[in-house]
Amino acid sequence: MPELPEVEIVRRGLSPLITGARIDNLILRRKNLRFDFPVGFAKKISGTHITGVLRRAKYLLFELSSGQIILSHLGMTGNYRFFAPVKPGHFEKHDHVIFELSGTNPPSPFLIYSDPRRFGFMDLIDNQEDCAFLKHLGPEPLSNQLSAQMLRERFATRRGPIKTVLLDQRVIAGLGNIYVCEALFRSGINPSTPAKNLAVPNDCAQSDKLEDLTRSIREVLHEALEAGGSTLKDYRQVEGQSGYFQHRFAVYGREGEPCLRPACAGQIERAIHSARSSFFCPTCQT
DNA sequence: ACACGCTCCTGAACGC
DNA sequence: TGCGTTCAGGAGCGTG
């Protein structure tokens, strides 16, 4: 389940391989993923060069020499791989999009987008500013736009559980279920806490909590990046490698197991917030 | 403005 | 062994 670190690892994997490459052809093996592909997609990008690979939130952005940008969201199970197929012309069941490239390093005719559950999607956009998918996104958590003060302002009107609010990409962009659970654990915040309760002005204790949360979000994302992301079922790096951060989850997927905080005797519990599992320690997340 | 539930999808895991 | 059910969840969308 790609969240910010996984998407960033894919970006870092793809960028040196395909920057400067020419898109000779695009093969769409079905008419849609989650949404229909853009009209004339193959025709519009064929013959262009890839001039850069960027990331915004959980979106990959392939900058083209035409000035347009391919927007790619991996959904739950999307992944790119840069292998030539075993037999030319033979692709796997869920290989939906095939970029035929020339001028890659190392040479490979195919960049393949595969996505079993098809929660991912692609679009072709003219710029980031006018793109409906991007224009309402909140700040990047690894940029200096993330601060306790910023969170306080954005939490102030939100009565819903902080777990849900942190998943809202308009509040902060790029977090998903796993890293929200982990960041809340690290900062000792119960996922059910109404977000606005942490935004009380001039409350030193709550202010400290927001500082902790800010630091925890940064920390957990940085650590995940260093570990190559988290590989549960589907996520893979571009050349097929697994990430390793899943071995360091403190709460995610650990229902019923002991809390890992030193001297805490708690047991990890699972709760549901907006139809997603939240894992937390009821003893030290208050 | 905000909260909530529904929807899309497949494969793995589980129960009988 | 096999079949049906449940679960995983990102995010747009509709409704209240």
Side-chain angles (χ1 to χ4, degrees), chain A residues 25-74:
Chain A
N25 189 26
L26 180 75
I27 301 169
L28 302 176
R29 301 183 69 233
R30 49 180 301 126
K31 73 176 178 61
N32 64 340
L33 294 170
R34 181 174 175 200
F35 307 123
D36 282 357
F37 290 111
V39 175
F41 192 26
K43 193 169 180 188
K44 285 177 180 167
I45 68 169
S46 293
T48 66
H49 288 76
I50 298 168
T51 56
V53 185
L54 309 180
R55 179 192 58 76
R56 171 76 172 105
K58 302 174 197 171
Y59 293 89
L60 286 169
L61 306 168
F62 301 87
E63 292 184 314
L64 303 178
S65 54
S66 62
Q68 290 192 297
I69 301 167
I70 299 171
L71 186 75
S72 170
H73 194 292
L74 303 177

Side-chain angles (χ1 to χ4, degrees), chain A residues 9-264:
Chain A
I9 295 290
V10 170
R11 188 198 71 76
R12 291 179 188 179
L14 281 177
S15 183
L17 299 175
I18 65 171
T19 299
R22 180 181 190 273
I23 302 173
D24 292 335
N25 189 26
L26 180 75
I27 301 169
L28 302 176
R29 301 183 69 233
R30 49 180 301 126
K31 73 176 178 61
N32 64 340
L33 294 170
R34 181 174 175 200
F35 307 123
D36 282 357
F37 290 111
V39 175
F41 192 26
K43 193 169 180 188
K44 285 177 180 167
I45 68 169
S46 293
T48 66
H49 288 76
I50 298 168
T51 56
V53 185
L54 309 180
R55 179 192 58 76
R56 171 76 172 105
K58 302 174 197 171
Y59 293 89
L60 286 169
L61 306 168
F62 301 87
E63 292 184 314
L64 303 178
S65 54
S66 62
Q68 290 192 297
I69 301 167
I70 299 171
L71 186 75
S72 170
H73 194 292
L74 303 177
M76 293 292 298
T77 55
N79 66 86
Y80 282 94
R81 67 182 202 277
F82 191 68
F83 297 136
V86 179
K87 283 184 281 186
H90 172 79
F91 300 109
E92 302 197 17
K93 183 177 175 185
H94 299 297
D95 293 345
H96 305 307
V97 183
I98 321 291
F99 295 83
E100 292 187 36
L101 302 176
S102 55
T104 62
N105 179 27
S108 165
F110 301 117
L111 174 67
I112 300 170
Y113 177 76
S114 174
D115 189 352
R117 282 158 70 181
R118 306 202 302 273
F119 271 28
F121 55 91
M122 288 187 197
D123 200 1
L124 187 62
I125 64 174
D126 293 324
N127 58 69
Q128 294 192 47
E129 294 70 30
D130 299 326
C131 172
F133 293 114
L134 302 179
K135 66 201 289 187
H136 300 297
L137 289 173
E140 286 286 321
L142 295 182
S143 76
N144 56 16
Q145 294 176 311
L146 173 63
S147 68
Q149 179 59 27
M150 183 281 280
L151 290 181
R152 182 177 300 108
E153 287 164 15
R154 283 161 189 258
F155 289 174
T157 60
R158 303 293 294 257
R159 284 173 292 130
I162 188 162
K163 168 70 189 306
T164 301
V165 173
L166 287 174
L167 287 173
D168 186 337
Q169 302 297 297
R170 295 168 300 184
V171 173
I172 178 169
L175 299 180
N177 203 37
I178 292 172
Y179 297 115
V180 168
C181 287
E182 296 295 319
L184 288 174
F185 171 75
R186 289 178 183 219
S187 45
I189 298 170
N190 189 295
S192 299
T193 309
K196 63 185 301 190
N197 289 12
L198 293 167
V200 179
N202 305 319
D203 181 325
C204 288
Q206 299 311 337
S207 183
D208 287 349
K209 284 265 186 187
L210 281 183
E211 296 286 353
D212 282 350
L213 178 59
T214 305
R215 185 167 42 242
S216 298
I217 290 170
R218 284 217 179 87
E219 262 178 24
V220 76
L221 294 178
H222 275 299
E223 289 175 27
L225 275 170
E226 283 171 20
S230 302
T231 296
L232 293 181
K233 291 193 178 71
D234 303 286
Y235 167 73
R236 282 284 182 281
Q237 296 180 32
V238 172
E239 296 189 85
Q241 317 94 311
S242 294
Y244 292 95
F245 192 71
Q246 66 277 11
H247 301 301
R248 289 164 50 188
F249 293 161
V251 287
Y252 187 83
R254 296 193 61 247
E255 182 181 12
E257 295 178 37
C259 177
L260 296 179
R261 192 183 300 277
C264 178

